[in-house]
Amino acid sequence: MPTVVMIDGAVERQLLALEPRACDFRVFDVADPVAAWAVLPGLPVERLLLAGTAAGPALLPLLRSALGYDPAVQELLGFLRQRFLPDGAVPPVPARVAPAVRSFALGAPGDPVAPGLFPGRVTKLARLALAAQGGYPAEAVRAAAEHAYDGGRPYHAHDALACALVHPGVDGVALAARHEGSSRGWKSRRKTARVLAWARRESYLPPPVTCECRHERFRPPRERWEAFRLTGAWSRARPLLELVEELAWGQAVHRCVRCGRYWREDVLSSGHADLSYGYPLDAWTPTAP
């Protein structure tokens, strides 16, 4: 839970020294709103907006007033106060505050930050907002997302993938297909799945092709434990499949009667029994003459 920091004096000095990473762990508030209001209107927009991302109940309305009644700026402030991934779509960045948002981004999608390497919440949201309106070159964003999970990277750059999915010049469908079939650790893959689910929920990605066999949810196993997990999916999909070719050692190829997708059946020995499992195939060529 964030630590509440009460600014009892020197409001200007403390807000001018505020950094994006501090907004992850602290909520800033004021004990004397009258004294704070004497200072806030003279602060730069960048400082007002950043302080607003972590402001408590007494400070927040003062900052909103100091920023002025601009619905677009107020909407962006609400967005930057959220967690990553945010609730809802990404709002536009008004030109008036664009330099401030770029300063919060601390670089491009996927870039490590100092100190600590990992970008904070406000930094990731700022990158997302800039990417959504094409604020970074499309090719650079696409490349960052393609290599977001390469070995040797400082961190797994989920922010780079999210930025590519909202960027108007990047093919998000191809990136989703690339990363959904990854063999990374389950924690990283789970976070990637959340990014993709968010993008589909907010219509940055089209919904996956759906069929009762649920072929879009499964990939060929790379490890033995992944094959074990597919046994349950196979039992649910099997009633919808028709046999098209029997292979050796209990293996076979089936086809879904609803969507026409091919499935490969295989056998896994558990030591006590042979378990059947299956997975969808991208393509299939008959082996029988």
XYZ file of all heavy atoms in Angstrom, residues 219-260:
349
model
N -1.247 -24.190 -28.233
C -0.086 -24.284 -29.100
C 0.579 -25.644 -28.891
O 0.395 -26.273 -27.842
C 0.928 -23.171 -28.776
C 0.423 -21.764 -29.017
C 0.279 -21.478 -30.509
N -0.099 -20.095 -30.757
C -1.351 -19.653 -30.781
N -2.347 -20.500 -30.540
N -1.627 -18.388 -31.036
N 1.387 -26.104 -29.857
C 2.112 -27.363 -29.649
C 2.984 -27.286 -28.402
O 3.627 -26.263 -28.154
C 2.967 -27.491 -30.918
C 2.230 -26.700 -31.943
C 1.603 -25.556 -31.206
N 3.011 -28.329 -27.596
C 3.813 -28.288 -26.360
C 5.299 -28.346 -26.652
O 5.743 -29.023 -27.583
C 3.347 -29.540 -25.607
C 2.923 -30.480 -26.689
C 2.321 -29.628 -27.767
N 6.084 -27.625 -25.851
C 7.539 -27.664 -25.950
C 8.162 -28.464 -24.808
O 9.308 -28.888 -24.910
C 8.103 -26.245 -25.950
C 7.739 -25.434 -27.188
C 8.307 -24.028 -27.083
N 8.157 -23.267 -28.305
C 7.066 -22.608 -28.650
N 6.018 -22.616 -27.838
N 7.000 -21.940 -29.784
N 7.394 -28.624 -23.719
C 7.869 -29.362 -22.559
C 6.849 -30.430 -22.195
O 5.671 -30.337 -22.549
C 8.080 -28.416 -21.363
C 9.016 -27.241 -21.616
C 10.463 -27.672 -21.743
O 10.766 -28.818 -21.324
O 11.277 -26.869 -22.245
N 7.315 -31.401 -21.443
C 6.436 -32.510 -21.058
C 5.253 -32.022 -20.220
O 4.119 -32.468 -20.396
C 7.268 -33.552 -20.283
C 6.468 -34.794 -19.873
C 7.386 -35.786 -19.162
N 6.638 -36.916 -18.659
C 6.343 -37.984 -19.372
N 6.718 -38.056 -20.640
N 5.667 -38.990 -18.838
N 5.512 -31.086 -19.312
C 4.420 -30.599 -18.465
C 3.360 -29.877 -19.278
O 2.166 -29.905 -18.924
C 4.962 -29.694 -17.357
C 5.584 -28.408 -17.818
C 6.897 -28.185 -18.112
C 4.907 -27.166 -18.045
N 7.095 -26.886 -18.505
C 5.898 -26.227 -18.474
C 3.590 -26.741 -17.933
C 5.583 -24.915 -18.788
C 3.284 -25.416 -18.241
C 4.273 -24.537 -18.668
N 3.756 -29.234 -20.389
C 2.779 -28.571 -21.237
C 1.883 -29.602 -21.930
O 0.684 -29.363 -22.131
C 3.484 -27.701 -22.270
C 4.195 -26.493 -21.672
C 4.896 -25.667 -22.717
O 5.444 -26.254 -23.664
O 4.897 -24.428 -22.595
N 2.467 -30.757 -22.292
C 1.663 -31.823 -22.889
C 0.635 -32.358 -21.891
O -0.520 -32.625 -22.246
C 2.584 -32.955 -23.368
N 1.027 -32.500 -20.622
C 0.072 -32.929 -19.598
C -1.102 -31.961 -19.514
O -2.256 -32.376 -19.368
C 0.766 -33.031 -18.233
C 1.364 -34.389 -17.960
C 2.735 -34.552 -17.901
C 0.563 -35.489 -17.763
C 3.299 -35.786 -17.650
C 1.104 -36.736 -17.515
C 2.490 -36.887 -17.449
N -0.825 -30.687 -19.591
C -1.886 -29.687 -19.489
C -2.862 -29.779 -20.654
O -4.027 -29.400 -20.528
C -1.295 -28.284 -19.415
C -0.591 -27.972 -18.109
C -0.074 -26.554 -18.091
N -1.139 -25.575 -18.284
C -0.938 -24.275 -18.429
N 0.303 -23.799 -18.413
N -1.944 -23.452 -18.582
N -2.403 -30.259 -21.797
C -3.261 -30.334 -22.975
C -4.235 -31.505 -22.940
O -5.143 -31.579 -23.772
C -2.397 -30.429 -24.234
C -1.683 -29.145 -24.657
C -0.723 -29.431 -25.807
C -2.679 -28.074 -25.052
N -4.056 -32.421 -22.008
C -4.965 -33.578 -21.966
C -6.398 -33.154 -21.682
O -7.336 -33.712 -22.249
C -4.490 -34.600 -20.914
O -4.414 -33.965 -19.634
C -3.117 -35.154 -21.285
N -6.584 -32.183 -20.791
C -7.937 -31.715 -20.507
C -8.565 -31.015 -21.699
O -9.749 -31.225 -22.009
N -7.783 -30.167 -22.379
C -8.295 -29.482 -23.565
C -8.662 -30.482 -24.655
O -9.659 -30.298 -25.369
C -7.246 -28.498 -24.081
N -7.868 -31.528 -24.763
C -8.131 -32.538 -25.780
C -9.459 -33.255 -25.521
O -10.234 -33.496 -26.448
C -6.992 -33.536 -25.825
C -7.189 -34.672 -26.783
C -7.345 -35.995 -26.489
C -7.265 -34.583 -28.210
N -7.509 -36.734 -27.626
C -7.461 -35.883 -28.702
C -7.176 -33.526 -29.110
C -7.580 -36.148 -30.058
C -7.294 -33.793 -30.463
C -7.485 -35.094 -30.926
N -9.750 -33.577 -24.273
C -11.002 -34.270 -23.960
C -12.216 -33.404 -24.289
O -13.272 -33.919 -24.654
C -11.021 -34.691 -22.491
O -11.044 -33.554 -21.647
N -12.067 -32.061 -24.182
C -13.185 -31.177 -24.521
C -13.330 -30.989 -26.026
O -14.441 -30.856 -26.542
C -12.989 -29.824 -23.838
C -13.155 -29.852 -22.328
C -13.174 -28.457 -21.746
N -11.880 -27.787 -21.890
C -10.905 -27.846 -20.990
N -11.080 -28.549 -19.879
N -9.764 -27.214 -21.184
N -12.202 -30.960 -26.729
C -12.252 -30.729 -28.173
C -12.589 -31.996 -28.959
O -13.175 -31.919 -30.042
C -10.910 -30.174 -28.653
N -12.249 -33.162 -28.431
C -12.350 -34.415 -29.191
C -13.737 -34.687 -29.766
O -13.838 -35.146 -30.919
C -11.905 -35.584 -28.299
C -11.856 -36.927 -29.008
C -10.814 -36.912 -30.102
N -10.801 -38.142 -30.867
C -11.600 -38.377 -31.902
N -12.493 -37.473 -32.277
N -11.527 -39.507 -32.563
N -14.852 -34.409 -29.057
C -16.164 -34.700 -29.660
C -16.463 -33.894 -30.918
O -17.347 -34.277 -31.694
C -17.145 -34.341 -28.525
C -16.351 -34.484 -27.275
C -14.973 -34.032 -27.646
N -15.752 -32.790 -31.136
C -15.997 -31.959 -32.313
C -15.107 -32.335 -33.494
O -15.214 -31.725 -34.558
C -15.751 -30.485 -31.979
C -16.652 -29.864 -30.908
C -16.168 -28.459 -30.576
C -18.098 -29.826 -31.386
N -14.223 -33.309 -33.317
C -13.227 -33.626 -34.334
C -13.563 -34.924 -35.052
O -14.107 -35.865 -34.461
C -11.841 -33.737 -33.686
C -11.399 -32.567 -32.798
C -10.005 -32.823 -32.259
C -11.460 -31.247 -33.561
N -13.186 -34.962 -36.323
C -13.319 -36.180 -37.115
C -11.934 -36.644 -37.553
O -11.066 -35.837 -37.861
C -14.206 -35.943 -38.339
C -13.686 -34.881 -39.291
C -14.603 -34.668 -40.486
O -15.660 -35.309 -40.526
O -14.249 -33.856 -41.364
N -11.733 -37.952 -37.545
C -10.441 -38.523 -37.912
C -10.209 -38.363 -39.410
O -11.080 -38.684 -40.222
C -10.406 -40.002 -37.533
C -9.124 -40.765 -37.885
C -7.961 -40.263 -37.046
C -9.334 -42.263 -37.680
N -9.031 -37.880 -39.781
C -8.700 -37.776 -41.201
C -7.509 -38.658 -41.575
O -7.371 -39.039 -42.736
C -8.410 -36.312 -41.610
C -9.657 -35.464 -41.477
C -7.284 -35.718 -40.792
N -6.632 -38.979 -40.603
C -5.524 -39.890 -40.910
C -4.952 -40.458 -39.619
O -4.676 -39.726 -38.666
C -4.412 -39.165 -41.676
C -3.277 -40.102 -42.068
C -2.212 -39.427 -42.918
O -2.420 -38.293 -43.358
O -1.145 -40.064 -43.118
N -4.783 -41.775 -39.598
C -4.129 -42.418 -38.475
C -2.631 -42.510 -38.758
O -2.214 -42.862 -39.860
C -4.706 -43.819 -38.248
C -6.126 -43.809 -37.722
C -6.603 -45.215 -37.365
O -5.856 -46.183 -37.666
O -7.697 -45.338 -36.793
N -1.828 -42.234 -37.749
C -0.384 -42.302 -37.864
C 0.136 -43.415 -36.963
O -0.635 -44.152 -36.356
C 0.236 -40.944 -37.479
C -0.317 -39.732 -38.240
C 0.260 -38.457 -37.679
C -0.038 -39.850 -39.730
N 1.426 -43.527 -36.836
C 2.016 -44.597 -36.028
C 1.952 -44.265 -34.541
O 1.849 -43.100 -34.141
C 3.469 -44.825 -36.463
N 2.026 -45.315 -33.714
C 2.164 -45.178 -32.257
C 1.029 -44.379 -31.617
O 1.230 -43.579 -30.711
C 3.509 -44.535 -31.899
C 4.685 -45.245 -32.474
C 5.442 -44.862 -33.535
C 5.228 -46.497 -32.032
N 6.428 -45.763 -33.796
C 6.323 -46.790 -32.866
C 4.906 -47.392 -31.006
C 7.089 -47.949 -32.728
C 5.670 -48.540 -30.863
C 6.748 -48.815 -31.710
N -0.178 -44.638 -32.075
C -1.334 -43.987 -31.481
C -1.543 -42.552 -31.884
O -2.440 -41.889 -31.373
N -0.729 -42.049 -32.786
C -0.882 -40.673 -33.239
C -1.901 -40.600 -34.371
O -2.154 -41.584 -35.069
C 0.455 -40.116 -33.697
C 1.521 -40.108 -32.607
C 2.885 -39.717 -33.146
O 3.134 -39.804 -34.341
N 3.767 -39.288 -32.261
N -2.477 -39.420 -34.556
C -3.485 -39.248 -35.598
C -3.650 -37.765 -35.892
O -3.188 -36.900 -35.140
C -4.815 -39.862 -35.173
N -4.301 -37.491 -36.999
C -4.671 -36.130 -37.377
C -6.191 -36.075 -37.470
O -6.818 -36.951 -38.060
C -4.028 -35.713 -38.714
C -4.528 -34.328 -39.139
C -2.511 -35.712 -38.603
N -6.768 -35.046 -36.864
C -8.214 -34.853 -36.871
C -8.529 -33.477 -37.444
O -7.650 -32.613 -37.552
C -8.774 -34.954 -35.445
C -8.473 -36.248 -34.763
N -9.395 -37.268 -34.646
C -7.348 -36.702 -34.144
C -8.857 -38.279 -33.994
N -7.611 -37.968 -33.673
N -9.810 -33.286 -37.772
C -10.258 -31.991 -38.279
C -11.537 -31.603 -37.551
O -12.429 -32.435 -37.354
C -10.513 -32.054 -39.785
C -10.983 -30.712 -40.382
C -11.078 -30.784 -41.901
N -11.896 -31.915 -42.309
C -11.547 -32.781 -43.258
N -10.389 -32.660 -43.885
N -12.340 -33.784 -43.579
N -11.618 -30.340 -37.151
C -12.812 -29.842 -36.471
C -13.960 -29.740 -37.477
O -13.798 -29.154 -38.553
C -12.549 -28.483 -35.834
S -13.984 -27.755 -35.024
N -15.122 -30.291 -37.131
C -16.263 -30.265 -38.046
C -16.907 -28.879 -38.106
O -17.706 -28.608 -38.998
C -17.316 -31.314 -37.626
C -16.722 -32.710 -37.680
C -17.852 -31.029 -36.220
N -16.543 -27.974 -37.148
C -17.138 -26.639 -37.122
C -16.289 -25.634 -37.897
O -16.798 -24.885 -38.725
C -17.303 -26.168 -35.676
C -18.151 -27.109 -34.824
C -19.623 -27.059 -35.213
N -20.405 -28.029 -34.496
C -20.880 -27.873 -33.266
N -20.600 -26.744 -32.613
N -21.594 -28.809 -32.695
N -14.998 -25.572 -37.574
C -14.150 -24.535 -38.179
C -13.155 -25.090 -39.190
O -12.494 -24.318 -39.885
C -13.396 -23.765 -37.091
S -12.146 -24.746 -36.210
N -12.996 -26.409 -39.262
C -12.082 -27.005 -40.227
C -10.628 -27.015 -39.801
O -9.768 -27.425 -40.587
